[in-house]
Short mmCIF file of all heavy atoms in Angstrom, two decimals:
data_model
loop_
_atom_site.label_atom_id
_atom_site.label_comp_id
_atom_site.label_asym_id
_atom_site.label_seq_id
_atom_site.Cartn_x
_atom_site.Cartn_y
_atom_site.Cartn_z
N LYS A 8 75.38 49.37 5.33
CA LYS A 8 75.51 47.93 5.56
C LYS A 8 76.43 47.35 4.49
O LYS A 8 76.50 47.87 3.38
CB LYS A 8 74.14 47.26 5.49
CG LYS A 8 73.22 47.65 6.60
CD LYS A 8 71.92 46.90 6.47
CE LYS A 8 70.97 47.28 7.57
NZ LYS A 8 69.71 46.55 7.47
N PRO A 9 77.10 46.26 4.83
CA PRO A 9 77.96 45.63 3.82
C PRO A 9 77.12 45.04 2.69
O PRO A 9 76.02 44.56 2.91
CB PRO A 9 78.68 44.54 4.61
CG PRO A 9 77.80 44.26 5.76
CD PRO A 9 77.11 45.55 6.09
N ASP A 10 77.66 45.11 1.52
CA ASP A 10 76.97 44.57 0.34
C ASP A 10 77.34 43.10 0.17
O ASP A 10 78.37 42.78 -0.42
CB ASP A 10 77.36 45.38 -0.89
CG ASP A 10 76.60 44.97 -2.13
OD1 ASP A 10 75.71 44.08 -2.02
OD2 ASP A 10 76.89 45.52 -3.20
N LEU A 11 76.50 42.23 0.69
CA LEU A 11 76.78 40.80 0.64
C LEU A 11 76.60 40.22 -0.76
O LEU A 11 77.02 39.11 -1.03
CB LEU A 11 75.92 40.05 1.65
CG LEU A 11 76.12 40.47 3.11
CD1 LEU A 11 75.24 39.63 4.02
CD2 LEU A 11 77.57 40.37 3.53
N SER A 12 76.00 40.99 -1.65
CA SER A 12 75.84 40.51 -3.03
C SER A 12 77.19 40.47 -3.76
O SER A 12 77.30 39.87 -4.82
CB SER A 12 74.85 41.39 -3.80
OG SER A 12 75.38 42.68 -3.99
N LYS A 13 78.21 41.10 -3.18
CA LYS A 13 79.55 41.06 -3.77
C LYS A 13 80.18 39.67 -3.67
O LYS A 13 81.10 39.36 -4.40
CB LYS A 13 80.49 42.05 -3.06
CG LYS A 13 80.14 43.49 -3.26
CD LYS A 13 81.13 44.35 -2.49
CE LYS A 13 80.83 45.82 -2.61
NZ LYS A 13 81.78 46.63 -1.82
N LEU A 14 79.69 38.88 -2.73
CA LEU A 14 80.25 37.55 -2.51
C LEU A 14 79.74 36.57 -3.56
O LEU A 14 78.54 36.49 -3.81
CB LEU A 14 79.89 37.03 -1.12
CG LEU A 14 80.33 37.89 0.06
CD1 LEU A 14 79.83 37.30 1.36
CD2 LEU A 14 81.84 38.04 0.09
N SER A 15 80.65 35.84 -4.15
CA SER A 15 80.25 34.85 -5.17
C SER A 15 79.55 33.67 -4.51
O SER A 15 79.70 33.42 -3.31
CB SER A 15 81.48 34.36 -5.94
OG SER A 15 82.30 33.58 -5.09
N VAL A 16 78.82 32.92 -5.30
CA VAL A 16 78.14 31.72 -4.82
C VAL A 16 79.16 30.72 -4.28
O VAL A 16 78.94 30.11 -3.23
CB VAL A 16 77.29 31.08 -5.95
CG1 VAL A 16 76.70 29.76 -5.52
CG2 VAL A 16 76.21 32.05 -6.41
N GLU A 17 80.28 30.60 -4.97
CA GLU A 17 81.33 29.68 -4.53
C GLU A 17 81.92 30.10 -3.19
O GLU A 17 82.17 29.27 -2.32
CB GLU A 17 82.46 29.60 -5.59
CG GLU A 17 82.05 29.00 -6.89
CD GLU A 17 81.36 29.99 -7.83
OE1 GLU A 17 81.39 31.23 -7.58
OE2 GLU A 17 80.75 29.53 -8.81
N ARG A 18 82.14 31.40 -3.03
CA ARG A 18 82.72 31.90 -1.77
C ARG A 18 81.73 31.72 -0.63
O ARG A 18 82.10 31.35 0.48
CB ARG A 18 83.12 33.36 -1.93
CG ARG A 18 83.95 33.88 -0.79
CD ARG A 18 85.31 33.22 -0.75
NE ARG A 18 86.04 33.70 0.42
CZ ARG A 18 87.12 33.17 0.91
NH1 ARG A 18 87.66 32.13 0.31
NH2 ARG A 18 87.69 33.65 1.97
N LYS A 19 80.44 31.95 -0.87
CA LYS A 19 79.41 31.74 0.16
C LYS A 19 79.37 30.28 0.56
O LYS A 19 79.20 29.96 1.74
CB LYS A 19 78.04 32.20 -0.34
CG LYS A 19 77.90 33.71 -0.36
CD LYS A 19 76.51 34.10 -0.85
CE LYS A 19 76.36 35.59 -0.90
NZ LYS A 19 75.02 35.99 -1.38
N ALA A 20 79.49 29.38 -0.40
CA ALA A 20 79.49 27.94 -0.10
C ALA A 20 80.69 27.59 0.77
O ALA A 20 80.57 26.85 1.75
CB ALA A 20 79.49 27.13 -1.38
N PHE A 21 81.85 28.13 0.43
CA PHE A 21 83.06 27.89 1.22
C PHE A 21 82.88 28.44 2.64
O PHE A 21 83.20 27.75 3.63
CB PHE A 21 84.26 28.57 0.55
CG PHE A 21 85.50 28.58 1.41
CD1 PHE A 21 86.23 27.42 1.62
CD2 PHE A 21 85.93 29.76 2.00
CE1 PHE A 21 87.36 27.43 2.41
CE2 PHE A 21 87.07 29.78 2.79
CZ PHE A 21 87.78 28.61 3.00
N LEU A 22 82.36 29.64 2.77
CA LEU A 22 82.16 30.24 4.08
C LEU A 22 81.15 29.45 4.91
O LEU A 22 81.30 29.33 6.13
CB LEU A 22 81.70 31.69 3.94
CG LEU A 22 82.73 32.65 3.34
CD1 LEU A 22 82.09 34.01 3.06
CD2 LEU A 22 83.94 32.80 4.24
N SER A 23 80.13 28.92 4.25
CA SER A 23 79.14 28.11 4.97
C SER A 23 79.76 26.85 5.55
O SER A 23 79.36 26.39 6.61
CB SER A 23 77.99 27.74 4.04
OG SER A 23 77.26 28.89 3.70
N GLU A 24 80.76 26.31 4.87
CA GLU A 24 81.44 25.11 5.36
C GLU A 24 82.34 25.40 6.56
O GLU A 24 82.49 24.56 7.44
CB GLU A 24 82.29 24.49 4.25
CG GLU A 24 81.49 23.85 3.15
CD GLU A 24 82.38 23.31 2.04
OE1 GLU A 24 83.59 23.17 2.25
OE2 GLU A 24 81.85 23.04 0.95
N ILE A 25 82.94 26.58 6.59
CA ILE A 25 83.92 26.87 7.66
C ILE A 25 83.41 27.89 8.69
O ILE A 25 84.16 28.29 9.56
CB ILE A 25 85.25 27.38 7.06
CG1 ILE A 25 85.07 28.71 6.35
CG2 ILE A 25 85.89 26.33 6.16
CD1 ILE A 25 86.37 29.42 6.03
N LYS A 26 82.14 28.28 8.60
CA LYS A 26 81.65 29.36 9.46
C LYS A 26 81.79 29.05 10.95
O LYS A 26 82.17 29.92 11.73
CB LYS A 26 80.22 29.74 9.12
CG LYS A 26 79.18 28.67 9.41
CD LYS A 26 77.82 29.12 8.95
CE LYS A 26 76.84 27.98 9.05
NZ LYS A 26 75.60 28.29 8.38
N TYR A 27 81.49 27.81 11.36
CA TYR A 27 81.58 27.49 12.79
C TYR A 27 83.03 27.50 13.26
O TYR A 27 83.33 27.98 14.35
CB TYR A 27 80.94 26.13 13.09
CG TYR A 27 79.46 26.14 12.87
CD1 TYR A 27 78.90 25.46 11.79
CD2 TYR A 27 78.62 26.84 13.73
CE1 TYR A 27 77.53 25.49 11.58
CE2 TYR A 27 77.25 26.87 13.52
CZ TYR A 27 76.72 26.19 12.45
OH TYR A 27 75.37 26.22 12.23
N LYS A 28 83.92 26.98 12.42
CA LYS A 28 85.35 26.98 12.77
C LYS A 28 85.83 28.41 13.00
O LYS A 28 86.48 28.71 14.00
CB LYS A 28 86.15 26.34 11.64
CG LYS A 28 87.64 26.39 11.84
CD LYS A 28 88.37 25.85 10.63
CE LYS A 28 89.83 26.23 10.70
NZ LYS A 28 90.51 26.10 9.46
N ILE A 29 85.51 29.30 12.09
CA ILE A 29 85.94 30.69 12.22
C ILE A 29 85.24 31.36 13.38
O ILE A 29 85.87 32.08 14.17
CB ILE A 29 85.67 31.45 10.90
CG1 ILE A 29 86.60 30.95 9.81
CG2 ILE A 29 85.84 32.96 11.10
CD1 ILE A 29 86.33 31.51 8.44
N TYR A 30 83.96 31.15 13.51
CA TYR A 30 83.17 31.80 14.56
C TYR A 30 83.74 31.48 15.95
O TYR A 30 83.90 32.38 16.78
CB TYR A 30 81.71 31.35 14.45
CG TYR A 30 80.76 32.14 15.30
CD1 TYR A 30 80.31 33.38 14.87
CD2 TYR A 30 80.30 31.65 16.51
CE1 TYR A 30 79.41 34.11 15.63
CE2 TYR A 30 79.41 32.36 17.27
CZ TYR A 30 78.97 33.60 16.83
OH TYR A 30 78.08 34.32 17.59
N PHE A 31 84.05 30.22 16.19
CA PHE A 31 84.54 29.84 17.52
C PHE A 31 86.05 30.03 17.66
O PHE A 31 86.53 30.37 18.74
CB PHE A 31 84.11 28.42 17.86
CG PHE A 31 82.61 28.32 18.02
CD1 PHE A 31 81.84 27.64 17.09
CD2 PHE A 31 81.98 28.94 19.08
CE1 PHE A 31 80.47 27.57 17.23
CE2 PHE A 31 80.59 28.89 19.22
CZ PHE A 31 79.84 28.19 18.29
N LYS A 32 86.80 29.84 16.60
CA LYS A 32 88.26 30.03 16.65
C LYS A 32 88.60 31.48 17.01
O LYS A 32 89.51 31.74 17.79
CB LYS A 32 88.89 29.67 15.31
CG LYS A 32 90.39 29.90 15.24
CD LYS A 32 90.93 29.51 13.87
CE LYS A 32 92.41 29.81 13.74
NZ LYS A 32 92.91 29.47 12.40
N TYR A 33 87.87 32.42 16.45
CA TYR A 33 88.16 33.84 16.67
C TYR A 33 87.22 34.47 17.69
O TYR A 33 87.18 35.69 17.82
CB TYR A 33 88.10 34.60 15.35
CG TYR A 33 89.22 34.17 14.43
CD1 TYR A 33 88.99 33.24 13.42
CD2 TYR A 33 90.51 34.67 14.58
CE1 TYR A 33 90.01 32.83 12.58
CE2 TYR A 33 91.53 34.26 13.76
CZ TYR A 33 91.28 33.34 12.76
OH TYR A 33 92.29 32.93 11.95
N ASN A 34 86.45 33.63 18.39
CA ASN A 34 85.59 34.11 19.47
C ASN A 34 84.64 35.23 19.00
O ASN A 34 84.47 36.24 19.67
CB ASN A 34 86.47 34.61 20.63
CG ASN A 34 85.77 34.48 21.95
OD1 ASN A 34 84.78 33.77 22.10
ND2 ASN A 34 86.29 35.18 22.94
N LEU A 35 84.04 35.04 17.84
CA LEU A 35 83.18 36.06 17.26
C LEU A 35 81.89 36.27 18.03
O LEU A 35 81.22 37.28 17.84
CB LEU A 35 82.88 35.74 15.79
CG LEU A 35 84.08 35.74 14.85
CD1 LEU A 35 83.64 35.42 13.43
CD2 LEU A 35 84.81 37.07 14.89
N GLU A 36 81.55 35.33 18.92
CA GLU A 36 80.34 35.54 19.71
C GLU A 36 80.48 36.78 20.60
O GLU A 36 79.49 37.39 20.97
CB GLU A 36 79.96 34.30 20.54
CG GLU A 36 80.96 33.91 21.60
CD GLU A 36 81.98 32.89 21.13
OE1 GLU A 36 82.10 32.65 19.92
OE2 GLU A 36 82.67 32.33 21.98
N ASN A 37 81.71 37.17 20.90
CA ASN A 37 81.91 38.38 21.70
C ASN A 37 81.49 39.64 20.97
O ASN A 37 81.09 40.61 21.59
CB ASN A 37 83.37 38.51 22.13
CG ASN A 37 83.73 37.54 23.22
OD1 ASN A 37 82.88 37.07 23.96
ND2 ASN A 37 85.00 37.22 23.31
N ILE A 38 81.60 39.64 19.66
CA ILE A 38 81.18 40.83 18.93
C ILE A 38 79.81 40.69 18.29
O ILE A 38 79.25 41.65 17.81
CB ILE A 38 82.21 41.24 17.85
CG1 ILE A 38 82.35 40.18 16.77
CG2 ILE A 38 83.54 41.57 18.48
CD1 ILE A 38 83.18 40.61 15.58
N SER A 39 79.26 39.48 18.31
CA SER A 39 77.96 39.31 17.66
C SER A 39 76.83 39.00 18.63
O SER A 39 75.69 39.21 18.30
CB SER A 39 78.04 38.21 16.61
OG SER A 39 78.20 36.96 17.21
N ASN A 40 77.14 38.52 19.81
CA ASN A 40 76.07 38.18 20.74
C ASN A 40 76.17 38.94 22.06
O ASN A 40 75.26 39.64 22.44
CB ASN A 40 76.04 36.67 21.03
CG ASN A 40 75.58 35.88 19.82
OD1 ASN A 40 74.88 36.40 18.98
ND2 ASN A 40 76.00 34.65 19.73
N GLU A 41 77.30 38.77 22.74
CA GLU A 41 77.43 39.38 24.05
C GLU A 41 77.36 40.90 23.99
O GLU A 41 76.59 41.53 24.71
CB GLU A 41 78.73 38.92 24.71
CG GLU A 41 78.72 37.46 25.07
CD GLU A 41 80.04 36.99 25.66
OE1 GLU A 41 80.85 37.83 26.07
OE2 GLU A 41 80.24 35.77 25.70
N LYS A 42 78.16 41.50 23.15
CA LYS A 42 78.15 42.96 23.02
C LYS A 42 77.16 43.41 21.95
O LYS A 42 76.70 44.54 21.96
CB LYS A 42 79.54 43.47 22.64
CG LYS A 42 80.59 43.25 23.69
CD LYS A 42 81.92 43.79 23.19
CE LYS A 42 83.05 43.41 24.10
NZ LYS A 42 84.34 43.82 23.56
N TYR A 43 76.88 42.55 21.01
CA TYR A 43 76.05 42.83 19.84
C TYR A 43 76.47 44.15 19.19
O TYR A 43 75.74 45.13 19.19
CB TYR A 43 74.56 42.85 20.18
CG TYR A 43 73.69 42.72 18.95
CD1 TYR A 43 73.29 41.49 18.49
CD2 TYR A 43 73.32 43.84 18.22
CE1 TYR A 43 72.51 41.36 17.35
CE2 TYR A 43 72.56 43.73 17.07
CZ TYR A 43 72.16 42.50 16.66
OH TYR A 43 71.41 42.36 15.52
N LEU A 44 77.67 44.16 18.70
CA LEU A 44 78.18 45.36 18.04
C LEU A 44 77.49 45.55 16.70
O LEU A 44 77.25 44.61 15.96
CB LEU A 44 79.69 45.24 17.81
CG LEU A 44 80.57 45.14 19.05
CD1 LEU A 44 82.03 45.01 18.64
CD2 LEU A 44 80.37 46.32 19.96
N TYR A 45 77.18 46.78 16.41
CA TYR A 45 76.59 47.10 15.12
C TYR A 45 77.68 47.12 14.06
O TYR A 45 78.87 47.17 14.37
CB TYR A 45 75.87 48.45 15.18
CG TYR A 45 74.61 48.37 15.99
CD1 TYR A 45 74.60 48.75 17.32
CD2 TYR A 45 73.44 47.88 15.43
CE1 TYR A 45 73.44 48.66 18.08
CE2 TYR A 45 72.27 47.78 16.18
CZ TYR A 45 72.28 48.18 17.50
OH TYR A 45 71.15 48.08 18.24
N TRP A 46 77.28 47.11 12.81
CA TRP A 46 78.23 46.99 11.71
C TRP A 46 79.29 48.09 11.74
O TRP A 46 80.44 47.88 11.40
CB TRP A 46 77.49 46.99 10.38
CG TRP A 46 78.44 46.96 9.24
CD1 TRP A 46 78.61 47.91 8.28
CD2 TRP A 46 79.39 45.93 8.93
NE1 TRP A 46 79.59 47.53 7.40
CE2 TRP A 46 80.09 46.32 7.78
CE3 TRP A 46 79.72 44.72 9.52
CZ2 TRP A 46 81.09 45.55 7.21
CZ3 TRP A 46 80.72 43.96 8.95
CH2 TRP A 46 81.38 44.38 7.80
N ASP A 47 78.93 49.29 12.16
CA ASP A 47 79.91 50.38 12.18
C ASP A 47 81.05 50.11 13.15
O ASP A 47 82.12 50.69 13.03
CB ASP A 47 79.25 51.73 12.46
CG ASP A 47 78.63 51.82 13.84
OD1 ASP A 47 78.16 50.79 14.35
OD2 ASP A 47 78.62 52.92 14.40
N LYS A 48 80.84 49.21 14.11
CA LYS A 48 81.91 48.81 15.04
C LYS A 48 82.56 47.50 14.61
O LYS A 48 83.76 47.34 14.72
CB LYS A 48 81.35 48.65 16.46
CG LYS A 48 80.64 49.86 17.01
CD LYS A 48 81.62 50.91 17.44
CE LYS A 48 80.93 52.00 18.20
NZ LYS A 48 80.63 53.18 17.44
N VAL A 49 81.77 46.58 14.10
CA VAL A 49 82.30 45.27 13.69
C VAL A 49 83.33 45.42 12.58
O VAL A 49 84.36 44.75 12.58
CB VAL A 49 81.16 44.32 13.23
CG1 VAL A 49 81.71 43.06 12.60
CG2 VAL A 49 80.26 43.98 14.40
N LYS A 50 83.09 46.33 11.67
CA LYS A 50 83.99 46.46 10.53
C LYS A 50 85.38 46.96 10.91
O LYS A 50 86.28 46.95 10.08
CB LYS A 50 83.38 47.35 9.45
CG LYS A 50 83.22 48.79 9.84
CD LYS A 50 82.55 49.55 8.70
CE LYS A 50 82.34 51.00 9.08
NZ LYS A 50 81.67 51.72 8.00
N PHE A 51 85.56 47.35 12.17
CA PHE A 51 86.88 47.76 12.63
C PHE A 51 87.57 46.71 13.49
O PHE A 51 88.65 46.93 14.01
CB PHE A 51 86.80 49.08 13.40
CG PHE A 51 86.38 50.23 12.52
CD1 PHE A 51 85.14 50.81 12.66
CD2 PHE A 51 87.22 50.70 11.54
CE1 PHE A 51 84.74 51.86 11.85
CE2 PHE A 51 86.84 51.75 10.71
CZ PHE A 51 85.60 52.32 10.87
N GLN A 52 86.95 45.55 13.62
CA GLN A 52 87.57 44.45 14.34
C GLN A 52 88.63 43.80 13.46
O GLN A 52 88.60 43.93 12.24
CB GLN A 52 86.51 43.39 14.72
CG GLN A 52 85.38 43.93 15.58
CD GLN A 52 85.84 44.41 16.92
OE1 GLN A 52 86.55 43.71 17.62
NE2 GLN A 52 85.44 45.61 17.29
N LYS A 53 89.53 43.07 14.09
CA LYS A 53 90.56 42.38 13.32
C LYS A 53 89.92 41.30 12.46
O LYS A 53 89.11 40.51 12.93
CB LYS A 53 91.59 41.76 14.26
CG LYS A 53 92.74 41.13 13.53
CD LYS A 53 93.77 40.58 14.46
CE LYS A 53 94.87 39.97 13.61
NZ LYS A 53 95.74 39.11 14.35
N LEU A 54 90.28 41.29 11.20
CA LEU A 54 89.71 40.34 10.25
C LEU A 54 90.40 38.98 10.39
O LEU A 54 91.63 38.91 10.35
CB LEU A 54 89.90 40.87 8.83
CG LEU A 54 89.16 40.16 7.71
CD1 LEU A 54 87.65 40.26 7.91
CD2 LEU A 54 89.54 40.77 6.38
N PRO A 55 89.64 37.89 10.57
CA PRO A 55 90.26 36.56 10.63
C PRO A 55 91.05 36.27 9.36
O PRO A 55 90.66 36.68 8.25
CB PRO A 55 89.06 35.62 10.75
CG PRO A 55 88.01 36.45 11.41
CD PRO A 55 88.20 37.83 10.84
N GLU A 56 92.16 35.57 9.51
CA GLU A 56 93.07 35.35 8.39
C GLU A 56 92.44 34.56 7.23
O GLU A 56 92.87 34.69 6.09
CB GLU A 56 94.35 34.65 8.86
CG GLU A 56 94.10 33.30 9.50
CD GLU A 56 95.34 32.70 10.14
OE1 GLU A 56 96.15 33.45 10.70
OE2 GLU A 56 95.48 31.47 10.06
N GLU A 57 91.43 33.75 7.51
CA GLU A 57 90.78 32.95 6.45
C GLU A 57 89.86 33.79 5.57
O GLU A 57 89.44 33.35 4.51
CB GLU A 57 89.95 31.82 7.05
CG GLU A 57 90.74 30.76 7.77
CD GLU A 57 90.95 31.08 9.25
OE1 GLU A 57 90.70 32.21 9.68
OE2 GLU A 57 91.38 30.18 9.97
N LEU A 58 89.54 34.98 6.03
CA LEU A 58 88.58 35.81 5.31
C LEU A 58 89.29 36.84 4.45
O LEU A 58 90.36 37.32 4.77
CB LEU A 58 87.64 36.51 6.30
CG LEU A 58 86.85 35.58 7.22
CD1 LEU A 58 85.92 36.39 8.11
CD2 LEU A 58 86.07 34.55 6.44
N GLU A 59 88.62 37.19 3.35
CA GLU A 59 89.20 38.15 2.41
C GLU A 59 88.64 39.55 2.56
O GLU A 59 89.21 40.50 2.06
CB GLU A 59 88.94 37.66 0.98
CG GLU A 59 89.61 36.34 0.67
CD GLU A 59 89.25 35.78 -0.70
OE1 GLU A 59 88.36 36.36 -1.37
OE2 GLU A 59 89.85 34.77 -1.08
N SER A 60 87.47 39.67 3.23
CA SER A 60 86.84 40.98 3.34
C SER A 60 85.93 41.03 4.57
O SER A 60 85.58 40.00 5.14
CB SER A 60 86.01 41.28 2.09
OG SER A 60 84.89 40.41 2.04
N TYR A 61 85.56 42.24 4.92
CA TYR A 61 84.63 42.41 6.04
C TYR A 61 83.21 41.99 5.65
O TYR A 61 82.42 41.65 6.51
CB TYR A 61 84.67 43.85 6.55
CG TYR A 61 85.92 44.08 7.38
CD1 TYR A 61 87.05 44.64 6.83
CD2 TYR A 61 85.96 43.68 8.71
CE1 TYR A 61 88.19 44.82 7.57
CE2 TYR A 61 87.11 43.85 9.46
CZ TYR A 61 88.22 44.42 8.90
OH TYR A 61 89.35 44.57 9.64
N GLU A 62 82.93 41.97 4.37
CA GLU A 62 81.64 41.43 3.92
C GLU A 62 81.54 39.95 4.28
O GLU A 62 80.46 39.47 4.67
CB GLU A 62 81.45 41.63 2.42
CG GLU A 62 81.13 43.05 2.01
CD GLU A 62 82.34 43.98 2.00
OE1 GLU A 62 83.49 43.51 1.99
OE2 GLU A 62 82.12 45.19 2.00
N GLU A 63 82.64 39.23 4.17
CA GLU A 63 82.64 37.81 4.54
C GLU A 63 82.45 37.65 6.05
O GLU A 63 81.73 36.76 6.49
CB GLU A 63 83.93 37.15 4.09
CG GLU A 63 84.04 37.05 2.59
CD GLU A 63 85.30 36.34 2.13
OE1 GLU A 63 86.19 36.02 2.94
OE2 GLU A 63 85.38 36.08 0.92
N LEU A 64 83.07 38.52 6.82
CA LEU A 64 82.87 38.49 8.27
C LEU A 64 81.40 38.73 8.61
O LEU A 64 80.80 38.00 9.40
CB LEU A 64 83.75 39.55 8.95
CG LEU A 64 83.59 39.71 10.45
CD1 LEU A 64 83.99 38.44 11.18
CD2 LEU A 64 84.41 40.90 10.94
N ARG A 65 80.81 39.70 7.97
CA ARG A 65 79.39 40.01 8.19
C ARG A 65 78.51 38.83 7.76
O ARG A 65 77.54 38.50 8.41
CB ARG A 65 79.01 41.27 7.42
CG ARG A 65 77.56 41.61 7.49
CD ARG A 65 77.11 41.94 8.89
NE ARG A 65 75.70 42.28 8.88
CZ ARG A 65 74.83 41.81 9.75
NH1 ARG A 65 75.22 41.04 10.73
NH2 ARG A 65 73.57 42.14 9.67
N TYR A 66 78.87 38.20 6.66
CA TYR A 66 78.10 37.06 6.16
C TYR A 66 78.08 35.93 7.21
O TYR A 66 77.03 35.36 7.50
CB TYR A 66 78.70 36.55 4.85
CG TYR A 66 78.00 35.35 4.28
CD1 TYR A 66 76.82 35.50 3.56
CD2 TYR A 66 78.50 34.06 4.46
CE1 TYR A 66 76.16 34.41 3.04
CE2 TYR A 66 77.84 32.96 3.95
CZ TYR A 66 76.68 33.13 3.24
OH TYR A 66 76.02 32.05 2.74
N ILE A 67 79.22 35.64 7.80
CA ILE A 67 79.31 34.58 8.81
C ILE A 67 78.51 34.96 10.06
O ILE A 67 77.72 34.16 10.57
CB ILE A 67 80.78 34.28 9.17
CG1 ILE A 67 81.44 33.56 8.00
CG2 ILE A 67 80.89 33.44 10.44
CD1 ILE A 67 82.93 33.35 8.17
N ILE A 68 78.70 36.16 10.55
CA ILE A 68 77.99 36.60 11.75
C ILE A 68 76.49 36.58 11.52
O ILE A 68 75.72 36.09 12.35
CB ILE A 68 78.48 37.98 12.21
CG1 ILE A 68 79.91 37.88 12.75
CG2 ILE A 68 77.55 38.58 13.26
CD1 ILE A 68 80.55 39.21 13.05
#
Side-chain angles (χ1 to χ4, degrees):
K8 293 182 181 181
D10 185 3
L11 300 181
S12 68
K13 293 179 182 179
L14 302 176
S15 69
V16 173
E17 294 82 12
R18 191 67 184 166
K19 285 181 181 179
F21 170 73
L22 293 172
S23 292
E24 289 177 16
I25 65 166
K26 67 184 172 191
Y27 294 108
K28 175 185 165 196
I29 291 173
Y30 191 80
F31 293 110
K32 177 180 177 182
Y33 293 98
N34 208 17
L35 296 180
E36 64 267 13
N37 286 336
I38 64 171
S39 69
N40 290 334
E41 292 177 16
K42 295 180 189 174
Y43 197 91
L44 297 179
Y45 289 97
W46 176 244
D47 64 328
K48 304 283 190 261
V49 171
K50 67 182 178 182
F51 294 110
Q52 301 296 311
K53 185 177 180 195
L54 191 63
E56 60 188 36
E57 294 89 347
L58 303 182
E59 297 174 353
S60 68
Y61 284 97
E62 285 78 17
E63 292 182 353
L64 176 63
R65 175 64 179 135
Y66 179 80
I67 288 173
I68 290 172

